[in-house]
Amino acid sequence: MFTTGGAAREGGPSAALGAQVAPLSRRGLRGRRALKRFLYAQMALRQGLMIALGKEQPLLPFTVEAEPPSVYWVFRIRADAVDGLAARLGLPEHLVPVPISCLEGEEPAHLLTLNVYRVSGLTNGVRAEWSLYVSDAGSPPRYLIVDARSSTTSMDPISIITKATPVTHERDGDVLRTVVGDRASAFRCTLQLPSGEQPPLVRAAPAWVTANDSIYWGNGVSDRTYYDAGMADARQIDLPAAAATIDDGTPWATIVDPDPVHVLVLLDKIELVISPWENIDRLRR
């Protein structure tokens, strides 16, 4: 007999261990299904009303798909381009570019990243985002999206309706081909993925992970992101710059070193929940 430091009391833990749960009947199953649908529909309606009144924030799924793999091209911003960069971009005064560590154990540096991935949920298609890293009035480093492209029509707080643009990100065996834009102003990369033994996994620096907590846009509006170990401890490999044949005709190429310091390839999908434009009610002009 199981006891908890003494004689079992009637109706206590020991009695519960012996309790039998009756199997669910068809009627019981139908009733629970109806109750679930009704209750959560009412909760969703209430949440929709509260969001419309500005009393709650929307929470929307955002999934970075595993195929083709999401890639970060991480470039170091040239020292002569760091000074005055915020003014050139017209950033709000409280958003200041700051150095950040990408992988564990490395020194912080001023970085520009290009992340290209396929997404589903809040939006769909292939997206490309160039990002700097900023501090908001002394906060830890945060993402600042300075240029975003999408293969499908989407929304952002800069242009509101973002028209679809040429963005392709396709895998052919061990080769990943990425094109963002068209003609001479496009970013093009042919990336040779490992064909044999996989390189060792690398770990993101803590600051690199928590930078995702708030993702800013150039006008100061930010998205709030919620994530789990899928991103905090993402399985990823770091390929050498020689694995990437890059032809970068974008304006961003003029402020960075030509070769990336990291080419990070994520091996799994990442499931996020995003509260879009989360800070917009707190912004003042």
Side-chain angles (χ1 to χ4, degrees):
M1 179 177 182
F2 293 94
T3 63
T4 55
R9 297 182 179 180
E10 184 177 353
S14 299
L17 287 173
Q20 297 295 317
V21 178
L24 194 59
S25 66
R26 290 185 179 179
R27 180 179 179 183
L29 183 59
R30 288 196 301 269
R32 284 164 175 79
R33 285 173 177 165
L35 182 61
K36 168 192 169 181
R37 294 167 184 171
F38 176 78
L39 287 179
Y40 287 102
Q42 298 307 304
M43 292 174 67
L45 290 172
R46 177 193 176 278
Q47 185 181 36
L49 176 61
M50 297 300 284
I51 292 171
L53 295 174
K55 303 296 184 181
E56 290 188 11
Q57 295 290 340
L59 296 171
L60 302 173
F62 189 99
T63 300
V64 177
E65 301 292 350
E67 284 294 334
S70 171
V71 178
Y72 275 93
W73 290 266
V74 182
F75 296 92
R76 190 185 304 272
I77 300 175
R78 297 197 324 268
D80 63 303
V82 173
D83 292 338
L85 184 57
R88 288 173 57 190
L89 294 174
L91 300 184
E93 291 183 359
H94 60 92
L95 296 181
V96 179
V98 293
I100 187 173
S101 297
C102 177
L103 299 182
E104 275 190 339
E106 69 179 13
E107 291 297 317
H110 285 277
L111 302 175
L112 174 77
T113 59
L114 170 59
N115 182 206
V116 183
Y117 57 95
R118 179 173 292 279
V119 64
S120 61
L122 175 58
T123 186
N124 292 277
V126 178
R127 288 185 61 83
E129 296 168 352
W130 283 266
S131 299
L132 301 172
Y133 298 86
V134 298
S135 174
D136 178 6
S139 74
R142 304 299 190 200
Y143 273 79
L144 171 71
I145 297 175
V146 293
D147 192 354
R149 315 282 181 89
S150 176
S151 64
T152 58
T153 301
S154 60
M155 292 182 64
D156 68 59
I158 302 294
S159 55
I160 308 300
I161 300 299
T162 308
K163 295 181 179 179
T165 56
V167 183
T168 60
H169 188 57
E170 299 174 341
R171 179 172 182 164
D172 182 10
D174 295 328
V175 176
L176 189 62
R177 294 183 175 87
T178 303
V179 180
V180 184
D182 56 10
R183 301 186 178 89
S185 62
F187 172 91
R188 295 179 174 85
C189 179
T190 301
L191 181 62
Q192 181 63 53
L193 300 173
S195 57
E197 184 177 353
Q198 180 179 284
L201 299 178
V202 295
R203 291 182 63 89
W208 183 260
V209 176
T210 58
N212 287 276
D213 289 358
S214 294
I215 299 177
Y216 285 86
W217 298 79
N219 57 6
V221 176
S222 67
D223 302 329
R224 183 73 170 89
T225 304
Y226 301 90
Y227 49 87
D228 59 15
M231 187 166 73
D233 192 22
R235 294 198 317 129
Q236 58 186 336
I237 56 177
D238 184 15
L239 300 183
T245 302
I246 296 175
D247 177 15
D248 190 355
T250 70
W252 306 109
T254 64
I255 67 169
V256 299
D257 292 339
D259 293 327
V261 292
H262 300 295
V263 181
L264 300 177
V265 179
L266 280 70
L267 303 180
D268 303 310
K269 72 177 180 180
I270 298 177
E271 295 180 309
L272 312 169
V273 174
I274 290 183
S275 180
W277 308 4
E278 185 270 343
N279 71 337
I280 199 162
D281 291 328
R282 301 191 300 274
L283 293 179
R284 295 291 182 267
R285 284 292 181 264

